[in-house]
Amino acid sequence: MDKTIEKLVSLCKRRGIIFQSSEIYGGFGAVYDYGPLGIELKNNISQLWWKEMTQVHENIVGLDSGILMHPRIWEASGHVNAFHDPLVDCKQCNSRYRADEFGEEYNSIQWDTIQCPKCGTTGKMTDPRQFNLMFKTHVGPVEDSGSVTYLRPETAQGIYVNYQLVQGAMRMKVPFGIAQIGKAFRNEIVARNFIFRTREFEQMEMQYFVKPGTDDDIMKEWKEKRFQFYPDLLGVDASKIRFHEHGENELAHYAKEAWDIEYEFPFGWSEIEGIHNRTDFDLSQHESFSGKNLNYFDQQENNRFLPYIIETSAGLNRMLLTVLTDAFWEDTENNRTVLKLHPRIAPVKAVICPLVKKDGLPEKARTIVDGLKPHFKVLYDQQGSIGKRYYRQDEAGTPFGITVDHQSMEDDTVTIRDRDTQEQTRISSDQILSFIQAKMN
Ligand code: ATP
């Protein structure tokens, strides 16, 4: 594992952000649990996305469909037949790889000339086999083939099969969007790089239904908007994100045009979000598999058509890894580790510390906590030296440290310390709330 990622994994464990699943049983591959600070951070990110989609855009509404669905949906979508990754094994050391890691044109590779990256043996690699990534399960007590269904490998299909119900109930007019956040499951062959690729993860997908012919322009608009989300709302360094366009060989079976937003992780540039023009592929597939007409009726033009779909599909966990990697800072000058999270998404916004545990300082600090906690998450800490208390919070990404000292008892002011610059300013205690809110916005 990359050194920086290794340090991040250890910080995440130490500070209750992310834990390996089932640790007391020796761990469970490629699944992670989110601790008290991790879930706050994850919620802050997903709420930001949800607000951006369903509140800022008046023509986008939300949905929460089931993880289990009718198995025919996965035949219609192409997942039963085409959701495969090519798998190769080293017969010497039993290491397993995705064949496309050795090159996109893996079908033309002479596998008996390939050296195993792990054990170094040449000539022991198997030919690629296709491996379906869906988790199969059985519904009901009898495990016969009639009861097979799948844990959804993407949230998008739940949107497509509900699109007409949503459109009718909300009287939506094309163009309109449906947004959904939820779990997805993929039996990934190789899962590495911490939470980058896991078998259980969360997606934040928005499917935008448009009139055919307007799709290319609308695609451009969404590309722009989704790109800006990272620097503007999450505070991610803009020089570390870029677009990658899918070439002909990379395009999925449903896509006319596809772009990835990539982030420069310590392990290289990698996809965090995809923006796809899926045309009317999905709706026409569901029409033919369900036998239901899925046309949209345009009242103004008095005609019917099958909408095209522009999809924006982001992984919540990958977004979280992006934010954590981007925020990770080893401040060697001051011998501390800092998560420079934007105040908008930081799990805890401020720590409130009485300088000493006497003279009425703890009580005053408590009053400040009580005043702030209805607005956002804050923490009270009276344990250890003030420097240690600050450093503990620097590592957890808490942007502000507020100290109540003896002067506070006289003039009702406090010091407020900035996590990144470590500068302290004195402000009146009734200004703390507006000070922090201004920084969050
Ligand atoms: P990759 O090429 O990395 O396997 P993909 O192209 O299959 O990803 P999509 O099917 O487009 O990914 O899924 C959309 C988003 O869902 C991705 O951009 C990513 O953020 C997230 N995602 C996909 N698979 C995983 C996974 N195994 N773990 C975590 N997030 C994932």
Side-chain angles (χ1 to χ4, degrees):
M1 203 187 281
D2 170 88
K3 271 254 154 16
T4 312
I5 295 291
E6 229 166 64
K7 286 179 190 162
L8 198 58
V9 171
S10 133
L11 181 148
C12 283
K13 180 176 176 186
R14 196 163 68 238
R15 302 318 314 259
I17 301 173
I18 301 166
F19 307 127
Q20 164 73 68
S21 161
S22 319
E23 204 196 63
I24 62 166
Y25 285 91
F28 189 68
V31 181
Y32 288 90
D33 297 340
Y34 290 78
L37 293 191
I39 179 63
E40 294 294 338
L41 179 60
K42 190 147 73 80
N43 282 347
N44 290 345
I45 295 172
S46 65
Q47 279 160 14
L48 206 59
W49 182 90
W50 189 253
K51 182 177 167 195
E52 177 63 16
M53 289 297 178
T54 67
Q55 187 174 321
V56 175
H57 290 90
E58 292 168 48
N59 66 343
I60 300 180
V61 291
L63 178 76
D64 186 19
S65 67
I67 287 172
L68 298 175
M69 298 195 283
H70 198 291
R72 291 274 284 166
I73 288 174
W74 304 110
E75 289 173 36
S77 67
H79 283 84
V80 171
N81 283 326
F83 196 51
H84 293 118
D85 271 348
L87 165 74
V88 292
D89 289 302
C90 169
K91 285 182 279 188
Q92 185 67 32
C93 70
N94 295 325
S95 293
R96 190 154 273 183
Y97 304 95
R98 263 168 69 159
D100 55 359
E101 285 180 37
F102 295 83
E104 286 293 334
E105 309 287 337
Y106 61 86
N107 272 328
S108 50
I109 291 176
Q110 288 290 332
W111 287 94
D112 51 7
T113 65
I114 295 292
Q115 186 181 34
C116 172
K118 179 123 180 260
C119 71
T121 313
T122 303
K124 290 285 182 184
M125 213 63 99
T126 61
D127 282 337
R129 302 176 270 141
Q130 293 298 335
F131 174 79
N132 194 294
L133 297 182
M134 283 199 293
F135 280 101
K136 225 183 232 179
T137 189
H138 292 89
V139 176
V142 190
E143 288 194 9
D144 60 19
S145 63
S147 69
V148 164
T149 191
Y150 305 91
L151 301 187
R152 65 177 178 201
E154 62 175 29
T155 57
Q157 299 300 326
I159 296 182
Y160 305 146
V161 299
N162 280 295
Y163 120 91
Q164 243 178 7
L165 292 171
V166 171
Q167 188 271 325
M170 306 305 285
R171 296 186 295 133
M172 307 302 287
K173 290 194 174 53
V174 163
F176 70 91
I178 305 177
Q180 168 157 242
I181 301 178
K183 290 262 175 160
F185 302 83
R186 295 183 188 180
N187 200 357
E188 299 281 359
I189 297 170
V190 273
R192 42 174 99 100
N193 293 328
F194 197 25
I195 56 169
F196 180 81
R197 186 181 303 286
T198 52
R199 300 205 166 97
E200 175 176 344
F201 57 100
E202 270 169 272
Q203 285 187 316
M204 304 193 287
E205 296 196 301
M206 194 281 295
Q207 311 293 326
Y208 205 67
F209 298 82
V210 311
K211 191 173 176 175
T214 63
D215 50 316
D216 291 339
D217 286 342
I218 292 179
M219 174 89 185
K220 276 200 199 88
E221 284 168 29
W222 277 108
K223 261 180 66 191
E224 197 49 44
K225 281 187 192 174
R226 291 310 306 149
F227 195 85
Q228 284 313 121
F229 182 81
Y230 291 88
D232 292 357
L233 286 149
L234 294 177
V236 169
D237 180 352
S239 71
K240 296 199 139 210
I241 48 175
R242 71 173 189 197
F243 273 121
H244 162 77
E245 184 175 14
H246 284 213
E248 285 219 345
N249 292 338
E250 278 174 281
L251 273 183
H253 60 279
Y254 54 75
K256 167 178 160 188
E257 185 186 352
W259 295 79
D260 293 340
I261 299 175
E262 296 184 333
Y263 178 77
E264 191 178 17
F265 289 101
F267 47 84
W269 287 94
S270 308
E271 169 183 346
I272 44 179
E273 171 161 354
I275 298 125
H276 312 129
N277 183 344
R278 301 182 68 124
T279 68
D280 59 2
F281 174 83
D282 304 276
L283 292 184
S284 58
Q285 285 291 102
H286 287 305
E287 271 200 332
S288 65
F289 276 73
S290 69
K292 287 261 170 3
N293 184 328
L294 295 178
N295 270 338
Y296 166 82
F297 178 60
D298 189 332
Q299 278 176 334
Q300 242 161 12
E301 309 254 317
N302 196 29
N303 66 1
R304 292 179 186 278
F305 60 85
L306 212 51
Y308 267 31
I309 293 170
I310 306 297
E311 160 184 79
T312 75
S313 174
L316 175 52
N317 318 73
R318 273 192 201 176
M319 212 183 266
L320 195 128
L321 183 62
T322 305
V323 158
L324 285 173
T325 313
D326 206 63
F328 184 76
W329 175 37
E330 287 179 304
D331 180 5
T332 43
E333 210 173 294
N334 296 297
N335 196 23
R336 58 177 191 147
T337 306
V338 186
L339 282 183
K340 287 169 84 170
L341 295 169
H342 192 288
R344 192 182 289 126
I345 54 171
V348 176
K349 308 303 178 195
V351 59
I352 292 95
C353 310
L355 186 64
V356 291
K357 282 189 256 183
K358 55 180 187 186
D359 305 332
L361 269 53
E363 290 75 12
K364 186 158 181 66
R366 284 273 178 211
T367 313
I368 293 174
V369 168
D370 289 342
L372 295 177
K373 71 185 182 190
H375 303 277
F376 40 70
K377 203 162 177 66
V378 291
L379 205 81
Y380 174 84
D381 190 4
Q382 60 171 31
Q383 217 59 47
S385 76
I386 200 78
K388 274 216 179 101
R389 283 182 257 173
Y390 282 159
Y391 274 32
R392 262 203 297 272
Q393 292 307 312
D394 290 345
E395 234 191 15
T398 307
F400 303 106
I402 293 160
T403 297
V404 173
D405 55 16
H406 287 96
Q407 190 181 328
S408 312
M409 304 305 283
E410 284 160 25
D411 62 7
D412 201 25
T413 62
V414 295
T415 61
I416 187 157
R417 168 191 178 268
D418 181 283
R419 174 197 62 203
D420 305 341
T421 62
Q422 300 205 72
E423 263 167 35
Q424 302 195 26
T425 38
R426 202 165 255 286
I427 61 171
S428 165
S429 69
D430 60 9
Q431 281 170 7
I432 303 172
L433 178 62
S434 56
F435 180 92
I436 296 177
Q437 277 172 337
K439 299 282 186 186
M440 284 168 68
N441 296 322

